[in-house]
Amino acid sequence: MKPEDIQVLFPEAQRAIGAPIGPAMQEKIEASHLQDGLWGALAVALDFEPEPTTVEKFLAHNPYTNPQNFAERFQTLTEQGLFEESSAGEYRITTQGHAAANTVLDVMTEKLRETNPLPAADIHRIADLLLRLIAAALDAPEPADKSGLVYNRHSDLGEAAPPMLRVLQYLADMGTFRDDAHLNAWRKHAISGPAWEALTLVWRGEAHHAAELVEKLPFRRWTAADYQAALDELARRGWIEADGDQVRVTEAGQRMREAAEAETDRVYYAPWSVLSAAELNELGEGLIRLRDQLQEVA
């Protein structure tokens, strides 16, 4: 199997693994008053430890979202006693915050310990192959900034973790490495995150005006006026143009966006050479069996 074929399996396997543990985790999240994005903020803050959490760090790895979104979540977590502001704009997780996080993580760990869709040796083999990819990604010369992957690795419990938890961790690590590669590919253009994401949706034919961007991306918390400003920025660069009351990507925008995608793939797939053709087939076929067995049980 080609790396590109295996990459498609990563999110499918993640969804299949998450399905049986989702309800129990959601119950604990709600019991701990961590819904509405608070659990996500707390989980990312755990990865930053022992460093403090800041809005700037969140934006470095998620530049597409309104920073007010993060600031409000930090404030709510502080009011709940789960964060404390150690200095202006810097937050640390409190003892109470760690206890709340462990309540959710312990449920996930135990549920995954009980989830064995394949023989343990087969799951460990999948995990070991993924871990070799991650080690190669960490050693790769590009991208220069792999901080997303480095931080995400902080949540790895190691080889003593339940095998399904290892697989889930490593799939998330690879997703973060791809994010690092993509950020590296477009940030050289000195464009804002919202404008880049707007370009992506226009390029894909998924959005044609500011109101549609708000509709497609409500979780980003930007207004139609914000997205109109992003579209205006793209138009000034000659990457999109008006098409009646809508916009479409120009030839220059098409070339630039395709080049960024190609650059992302080049950097992301370079470390995959650490696996032989036989090992790539083994990984791909293992993920297919894992996914299909989980879906059948569900």
Side-chain angles (χ1 to χ4, degrees), residues 54-275:
T54 65
V55 170
E56 289 72 27
K57 281 185 180 177
F58 270 61
L59 285 174
H61 304 105
N62 181 0
Y64 315 108
T65 297
N66 190 327
Q68 188 62 28
N69 213 27
F70 303 133
E72 290 174 0
R73 289 174 184 174
F74 295 174
Q75 183 59 37
T76 300
L77 288 166
T78 301
E79 292 170 357
Q80 292 181 356
L82 308 184
F83 272 13
E84 61 181 1
E85 192 168 7
S86 55
S87 62
E90 293 190 347
Y91 296 83
R92 294 189 180 275
I93 304 173
T94 64
T95 300
Q96 184 180 343
H98 280 108
N102 288 338
T103 297
V104 178
L105 293 173
D106 287 348
V107 168
M108 179 181 69
T109 301
E110 289 310 308
K111 285 292 182 182
L112 288 175
R113 196 183 304 278
E114 299 166 2
T115 303
N116 297 291
L118 299 176
D122 292 353
I123 303 175
H124 275 298
R125 179 58 175 165
I126 294 170
D128 289 343
L129 290 170
L130 288 170
L131 186 57
R132 284 177 58 195
L133 284 180
I134 293 162
L138 288 167
D139 287 341
E142 298 179 282
D145 181 3
K146 290 191 277 282
S147 56
L149 173 58
V150 171
Y151 283 128
N152 207 69
R153 295 290 300 131
H154 290 173
S155 56
D156 184 11
L157 298 180
E159 296 186 11
M164 287 296 293
L165 181 56
R166 291 185 64 209
V167 172
L168 188 61
Q169 170 73 45
Y170 302 156
L171 290 172
D173 288 339
M174 289 302 295
T176 307
F177 177 57
R178 186 171 182 84
D179 289 343
D180 284 341
H182 190 58
L183 289 169
N184 173 76
W186 68 259
R187 275 185 163 149
K188 64 184 70 175
H189 297 291
I191 187 173
S192 69
W196 182 259
E197 190 167 39
L199 175 64
T200 297
L201 267 66
V202 174
W203 173 62
R204 292 174 177 166
E206 296 175 2
H208 306 87
H209 48 74
E212 198 168 12
L213 286 165
V214 174
E215 179 184 343
K216 298 280 187 179
L217 304 167
F219 48 91
R220 300 301 192 197
R221 297 275 303 278
W222 295 111
T223 66
D226 293 324
Y227 278 124
Q228 187 57 57
L231 293 175
D232 292 343
E233 177 183 353
L234 296 172
R236 287 193 298 270
R237 291 172 179 254
W239 292 349
I240 65 171
E241 62 186 2
D243 182 15
D245 59 352
Q246 300 183 350
V247 296
R248 64 185 176 191
V249 68
T250 63
E251 289 186 10
Q254 181 90 7
R255 289 194 302 269
M256 192 279 307
R257 186 59 184 79
E258 289 176 353
E261 200 69 15
E263 175 69 2
T264 299
D265 287 346
R266 182 188 68 78
V267 171
Y268 175 70
Y269 288 118
W272 288 59
S273 61
V274 72
L275 298 184

